[in-house]
Amino acid sequence: MQNTSWMPPSVSDSPTIETFILEGMFQASAATGTFTSILNQIVLSSKLITGRVRRAGLADLLGHTGGTNVQGEVVQKLDVIANETLIRQLKRRGHCAGIASEELDHAVIFPEATGNYLVCFDPLDGSSNIDVNISIGTIFALMRFDRSKGPPTEQTFLQKGSDMVAAGYIIYGSSTVIVMTTGQGVHGFTYDPTAGEFFLSHENLRVPERGNTYSINEGNHARWSPQVKAWNQYIKGDGPGRPYGHRYVGTLVADAHRTLLRGGVFVYPEDKKNPDGKLRLLYEAAPMAMIFEAAGGAASTGTRRVLDVEPGELHQRVPLALGSKRDVEDYEAILRGETPVP
Ligand code: P6P
């Protein structure tokens, strides 16, 4: 008689992300129903977006609309779809009071909303990689504001990353994975299209103390400062634990996800073309910094903690070094002209 008590392990033995959120498994000190509702609206948006991403080649969603966004970047069709999807879902229940998006010049305030949360997002990071089927992603962050001081304005979004209450990203890669934190613990959830649900797949992610991979666009070498060139030389040189291997996808979410799981360091420094760096603080660097710090890693501009940077404007850019604590410390040491402690 077959032993029917044994069941093969299955991802569906894990909680769905909705269950994980609803059962308060994200330690969110001041979590309220609206906080939970907003996270679930982001999850719903990611299911809708992943459906379009997976069919992009078939449903004529590849290619661009012909327009450009506030960054001066060519807008890809999927960018527009992802942006509209997030706005529509976040506006729906009145819990989110407004959004700031990479795709929009200005913040969008929802006047009928009653909630005390704002959401910043890059709806489709790495969209230049869409047409060549390389991983892309969505990055988001939640912040709170005091409604007793009146409705939010664009200024209300200009908060330091250390004031964010949640951050996460969705990577549309070989599978679709959501990685999210409320500051304590980082957890990953993998999408099972047959169930239409995200299931817990990476509980309590921790960045290794040190890795053996560095990630930077070597094609920008001529534009770097002497200090960044010195770090680049160091990381490729011989010496204890070096040379590091090089990996670079060109989509922040993909390079960050690999670094989060395997360790090492991702760097997008300031250079002659991007004197403040290329990546945007509010909806790229700061959410990633919150995730990495919550997983025991680090995120620096090269001279200071990313989460301490006070935004001056919505689309402010910052230089970024993201990854294992020791690897980010080495980067900062070399930028100070010091020799890293092995
Ligand atoms: P580069 C994608 O366009 C993006 O904003 C990030 O996702 C990525 O890390 C970076 O730009 C890549 O920039 O100059 O290396 O192509």
Side-chain angles (χ1 to χ4, degrees):
M1 167 72 88
Q2 185 185 3
N3 173 0
T4 54
S5 62
W6 180 82
M7 291 291 285
S10 152
V11 73
S12 58
D13 294 342
S14 306
T16 65
I17 189 167
E18 287 89 350
T19 300
F20 200 87
I21 294 170
L22 282 170
E23 291 182 0
M25 295 181 208
F26 275 115
Q27 291 83 25
S29 49
T32 62
T34 55
F35 179 83
T36 301
S37 163
I38 291 171
L39 289 182
N40 280 314
Q41 287 162 275
I42 291 171
V43 170
L44 174 58
S45 300
S46 63
K47 291 179 182 177
L48 297 170
I49 295 166
T50 199
R52 306 298 288 261
V53 167
R54 299 294 173 210
R55 295 195 322 268
L58 302 172
D60 186 31
L61 297 176
L62 295 183
H64 50 79
T65 63
T68 57
N69 64 16
V70 63
Q71 325 294 336
E73 295 165 341
V74 169
V75 176
Q76 303 278 353
K77 290 178 185 174
L78 276 173
D79 289 68
V80 175
I81 290 169
N83 194 51
E84 290 303 314
T85 300
L86 279 158
I87 294 172
R88 195 174 304 123
Q89 294 306 326
L90 286 168
K91 185 176 182 178
R92 188 177 294 280
R93 295 186 195 155
H95 296 154
C96 172
I99 62 98
S101 166
E102 185 212 30
E103 292 298 325
L104 301 176
D105 296 16
H106 296 288
V108 177
I109 304 300
F110 302 143
E112 70 288 348
T114 56
N116 303 331
Y117 292 95
L118 302 169
V119 180
C120 307
F121 55 77
D122 180 354
L124 212 61
D125 169 60
S127 50
S128 57
N129 283 324
I130 291 173
D131 295 357
V132 292
N133 211 13
I134 288 175
S135 297
I136 52 183
T138 299
I139 309 169
F140 61 89
L142 271 67
M143 48 178 68
R144 226 194 325 260
F145 71 99
D146 180 354
R147 186 173 280 279
S148 68
K149 293 180 180 166
T153 67
E154 187 152 303
Q155 289 300 313
T156 319
F157 286 83
L158 303 185
Q159 300 183 30
K160 290 188 297 186
S162 53
D163 293 332
M164 291 180 167
V165 292
Y169 61 81
I170 301 110
I171 179 168
Y172 311 103
S174 48
S175 62
T176 298
V177 176
I178 291 186
V179 171
M180 204 189 285
T181 186
T182 55
Q184 294 85 26
V186 179
H187 308 287
F189 302 82
T190 299
Y191 189 61
D192 177 348
T194 58
E197 293 288 359
F198 283 95
F199 291 96
L200 180 65
S201 53
H202 302 74
E203 189 165 7
N204 276 321
L205 279 166
R206 303 294 293 170
V207 192
E209 181 80 4
R210 181 181 285 285
N212 57 15
T213 300
Y214 78 101
S215 185
I216 190 170
N217 185 341
E218 290 271 1
N220 296 338
H221 186 277
R223 306 201 304 240
W224 295 337
S225 68
Q227 294 78 5
V228 172
K229 288 179 180 175
W231 166 81
N232 184 250
Q233 204 54 44
Y234 171 83
I235 204 79
K236 294 193 287 196
D238 52 19
R242 288 176 289 125
Y244 276 29
H246 181 247
R247 295 287 184 278
Y248 191 76
V249 177
T251 296
L252 172 61
V253 168
D255 286 314
H257 189 62
R258 180 199 59 248
T259 306
L260 184 71
L261 270 59
R262 301 252 175 93
V265 63
F266 167 87
V267 177
Y268 207 111
E270 70 283 0
D271 61 31
K272 291 172 188 160
K273 179 184 173 189
N274 295 297
D276 297 321
K278 177 182 182 184
L279 301 174
R280 278 63 58 137
L281 175 60
L282 272 185
Y283 41 78
E284 289 179 326
M288 285 299 181
M290 182 176 182
I291 293 165
F292 271 75
E293 288 205 4
S300 168
T301 64
T303 57
R304 61 188 299 213
R305 187 175 171 242
V306 167
L307 291 181
D308 291 337
V309 178
E310 190 95 28
E313 57 96 12
L314 213 56
H315 301 288
Q316 175 171 329
R317 299 173 191 265
V318 285
L320 178 64
L322 185 71
S324 297
K325 203 174 180 65
R326 297 297 307 278
D327 290 315
V328 173
E329 287 169 353
D330 289 356
Y331 176 76
E332 292 177 314
I334 291 175
L335 262 57
R336 291 193 301 268
E338 299 165 10
T339 303
V341 177

